[in-house]
Amino acid sequence: MRFQLLGPLALADGPDTVVLQPSKPANLLAALLLHANSPVSAEYLQRAVWGEEQPATARAALQTCVLRLRRLFSKHGVTTSIDAVPGGYRITAAPPTLDLLGFRDRVRRAAGLDRDPQAELCALRDALSLWQGSLLANVRSVVLHRDEVPRLAEERLRAVERVCDLLLGLGRCGEALVDLWTATRVHPGHERFHEQLIEALYRCGRQSQALAEYRRVKGFLLEELGVDPSPSLRRLELAVLRGEDLGPAGPAAPRVIRGETVPLPAARPALAPEATPSTAPDAASATAQATASATPQGASPVVAAGGTSAPAQGATPVQGAIPVVAPAPAAGTTLAPVAASRIEPVPAVPHFTGRAAETAALTARLTAPPPPGPEDHRPLTVLVSGAPGIGKSALAQHAARLARDAFPAGQLLVRMTRADGEPRPADAVAADVAAALGASGDGRALLILDDVVDADQVRPLLAPKGEAGAGPGPAVVVTSRMSLGGLIATHGGWVQRLTTFTEAESYALLLTALGAERVEADPRSAHRLAAMCGHFPAALRILTARLLTRPGLRLSDAADWLGDDPLARLTLTDSPDHSVTGLFDRALGRLDPRLSEAFTHLAQGPPTLLDDRGPEDEGPVPEAVREQLADAGLLEDGPPGPYRIHDLLRAHVRRTARIRDRRTEKV
């Protein structure tokens, strides 16, 4: 049995993980584990559990919390004990039984490999693989989040800083860029991250982007903090402006492990091909501690059921389901950032559930040998399409991870839209992908082009590469709300279109997410909840998140509550971006205004508007318009059967129209 602190607080036993519900005992357990093997005073534990203002019965209540934890340990076969010591309590743990201690132990061992940069890099990445998302996301202790979480986050930042120093020293600048784009956007005030990013861009031959990044961080520091960039950043800018050779990049920064500075001798990495003796020795000398792979703000994917992962509040579900007990993520995987870098290694989708047939088909397609002949220079292309929130990204990422042995050169997730939802220019994406692939190893690579807006974004990345006999280029999985039929017609490929869950799949999702005890106690209400969500993965994801935060709420009461106003209540109140209405609004916002108007007309009118003949007084909406809306994932099915609009989407459009009409009414 292992305790997990580096993410949601959880107990793990082999492949199974129990994510603890937010509670006073969970606060207590987190406080003890953060100081494992040391006595923790009762006064500190009381503040960690109840905050600065404690009830008069806090000491007696603390003893009750300890008793509840001991019962929890007994229930799950945990042999670790909570011992009473003079003035407080102590819990005993070791690196194999507590991930925080395991992380620190691996970082210390990495420090002993300073003369072998490649080995040190592997050891540090092994240490970082223990981090599974937002720290203590399910622990509602203001004291711990104020006093302990920042310190732990700093330990992680320093480890990732060292990783990027090593990558730069080994000449793997393109690979370093993946982490650095993320780090600089998540930690915009951390100057060392920007310094490394500018250096990596410059060493990749991207001088203009390096200078643009310097101007960006300079503007941020002046506007937000009223300070100028550090001397080392200014020296680096001058070197880039002059086109000077930065020389070899040797990671020689001190490392801080839990407050102890450990001096590291300069490593002896292989030089980048362009590295020669420096003419400006101070230009990139500030190799303090550098870069963090982004732990998104509050984002901790816990489960996906055929859908994209979502930020967790404790055990927040991902697109479709979030089990309280589920298989643990594979070692070495990282969680997907919420915003930040637009290109990164394909993250794991922890506890992916559902979509068994689709996963098997996509995995088989990716692992099949490419056909011989001249066409082997055109990359294998697979399109995963469907409505917004249907689970395209999670399926693509999960299948890619299952097929990773077929792609020894690595797998990259390329986000084709910016954080604001606007499409990225094709040439910018192509340049970033070329740089990332240039740093990959031998063999074939896999690209997931996520959330493609139109075919023109993709075509430059699907051009045949290499000479005859050079072998196939990277395989490409495209996820898009659009059908992209023109792309398939000109470049070939295979299409996997996703639809909503069946009734059985929805029930299984609730069973996995909420636990058999809660769901099987009232299966009728569980089926009713699934039907109210229209068996739509995004809606089910949000519903299970809300129910997990209210473990005492009966499913029958939840069904009555949801039935009063499903659209308004399928929202995470502490994360408004995660809502059914927001999802649909963003999807409709991408449409051409004329198509959006046509869809609004269809959704507000009778279902017969979707028929080939239409109602007698109006006639049909043109077939071309219906086909375009189907291609955009907003209409289901189509010829030879009838088109349909999902009930939630139809209700959303009608609700939006009513609100708009009320706002424009004359008083």
Side-chain angles (χ1 to χ4, degrees), residues 475-525:
V476 177
V477 176
V478 174
T479 74
S480 179
R481 299 170 187 178
M482 307 298 294
S483 295
L484 302 182
L487 181 72
I488 298 299
T490 57
H491 287 70
W494 178 73
V495 179
Q496 174 70 63
R497 189 166 182 88
L498 301 184
T499 60
T500 55
F501 287 145
T502 64
E503 184 176 353
E505 288 173 326
S506 296
Y507 183 81
L509 185 154
L510 293 175
L511 195 70
T512 304
L514 302 177
E517 181 179 355
R518 189 175 181 184
V519 175
E520 291 179 348
D522 192 357
R524 182 176 180 180
S525 294

Side-chain angles (χ1 to χ4, degrees), residues 384-611:
V384 181
S385 64
I390 206 69
K392 303 177 291 293
S393 298
L395 173 64
Q397 293 171 34
H398 183 62
R401 298 283 298 187
L402 294 177
R404 58 184 176 271
D405 290 344
F407 302 99
Q411 302 170 322
L412 291 176
L413 175 65
V414 184
R415 302 187 188 278
M416 303 297 287
T417 55
R418 300 198 300 259
D420 60 4
E422 290 298 312
R424 297 182 64 204
D427 54 351
V429 175
D432 287 348
V433 169
L437 290 178
S440 62
D442 296 331
R444 201 178 193 194
L446 171 66
L447 301 177
I448 295 180
L449 307 182
D450 190 42
D451 199 14
V452 168
V453 175
D454 56 46
D456 289 339
Q457 266 195 313
V458 182
R459 288 192 174 100
L461 298 170
L462 299 183
K465 309 286 185 188
E467 302 296 332
V476 177
V477 176
V478 174
T479 74
S480 179
R481 299 170 187 178
M482 307 298 294
S483 295
L484 302 182
L487 181 72
I488 298 299
T490 57
H491 287 70
W494 178 73
V495 179
Q496 174 70 63
R497 189 166 182 88
L498 301 184
T499 60
T500 55
F501 287 145
T502 64
E503 184 176 353
E505 288 173 326
S506 296
Y507 183 81
L509 185 154
L510 293 175
L511 195 70
T512 304
L514 302 177
E517 181 179 355
R518 189 175 181 184
V519 175
E520 291 179 348
D522 192 357
R524 182 176 180 180
S525 294
H527 282 290
R528 185 179 165 203
L529 285 167
M532 288 179 180
C533 291
H535 307 292
F536 198 74
L540 289 164
R541 175 195 69 190
I542 294 167
L543 172 67
T544 52
R546 300 208 67 167
L547 292 178
L548 282 170
T549 62
R550 292 171 173 80
L553 180 65
R554 295 184 304 173
L555 296 189
S556 58
D557 293 335
D560 292 338
W561 167 78
L562 181 63
D564 289 341
D565 193 349
L567 287 171
R569 290 171 177 174
L570 287 173
T571 300
L572 301 182
T573 55
D574 57 345
S575 183
D577 285 345
H578 292 91
S579 67
V580 169
T581 56
L583 177 70
F584 291 155
D585 278 337
R586 290 189 291 273
L588 294 171
R590 284 191 185 180
L591 287 180
D592 178 279
R594 290 171 296 180
L595 273 181
S596 180
E597 183 179 351
F599 183 73
T600 300
H601 174 61
L602 285 169
Q604 290 184 272
T608 52
L609 272 179
L610 292 166
D611 294 342

Side-chain angles (χ1 to χ4, degrees), residues 9-10 15 93 145 190 255 332 350 355 418 464 575 605 629 664:
L9 179 63
H145 281 276
H190 197 127
R255 181 185 292 115
R355 305 290 191 200
R418 300 198 300 259
S575 183
L629 291 171
T664 58

